[in-house]
Amino acid sequence: MPRVHTMFSRISAVVLLIGLASCGDSGSGIQIPGSSPGAVAAVTVSPSSASIQVGLTVQMAATLVDGQGNEVSGDVSWTSSDPAVASVDSGGLVTGLVAGTATITATINTISGGAIVTVVNPPTP
């Protein structure tokens, strides 16, 4: 019987060590359940709103963060909810085309964030 007890104790110790080793924290902050470090969990577009005149531009920027709140890098795709009002190029440069409002969205995988752009007519002289 002592032999079985010794073997059980050794197996228990190994399992305990493996469990403790897997609990290490490689980053700082709290991880959002279901997300992994480095995987994009949120996209924020800045500025969050802008007003430009027809024919002028505004540069948008996307900030990507993982489930722990750390900034990560990645390539986003840019779209406009109304390309007749405001177009956006692959670098996030928005051009006002006609007066109106459009939402500019940055997306990576299935995660996206947006900003409102209001296009106004230039003042008349």
Side-chain angles (χ1 to χ4, degrees):
M1 190 73 158
R3 183 176 258 183
V4 172
H5 179 68
T6 303
M7 185 185 316
F8 180 75
S9 295
R10 288 182 181 164
I11 291 172
S12 296
V14 169
V15 169
L16 178 63
L17 288 173
I18 291 172
L20 289 174
S22 67
C23 290
D25 183 9
S26 61
S28 61
I30 298 171
Q31 183 173 348
I32 295 171
S35 65
S36 21
V40 176
V43 177
T44 304
V45 176
S46 58
S48 60
S49 65
S51 180
I52 58 174
Q53 292 180 7
V54 171
L56 298 182
T57 61
V58 62
Q59 180 66 55
M60 297 294 192
T63 302
L64 313 175
V65 294
D66 66 12
Q68 295 178 327
N70 301 312
E71 284 192 29
V72 295
S73 60
D75 293 325
V76 298
S77 60
W78 292 94
T79 57
S80 171
S81 66
D82 194 342
V85 171
S87 65
V88 60
D89 70 11
S90 62
L93 184 66
V94 178
T95 303
L97 302 174
V98 298
T101 302
T103 301
I104 304 300
T105 304
T107 304
I108 183 167
N109 301 323
T110 60
I111 311 297
S112 62
I116 304 294
V117 173
T118 302
V119 180
V120 296
N121 287 316
T124 55

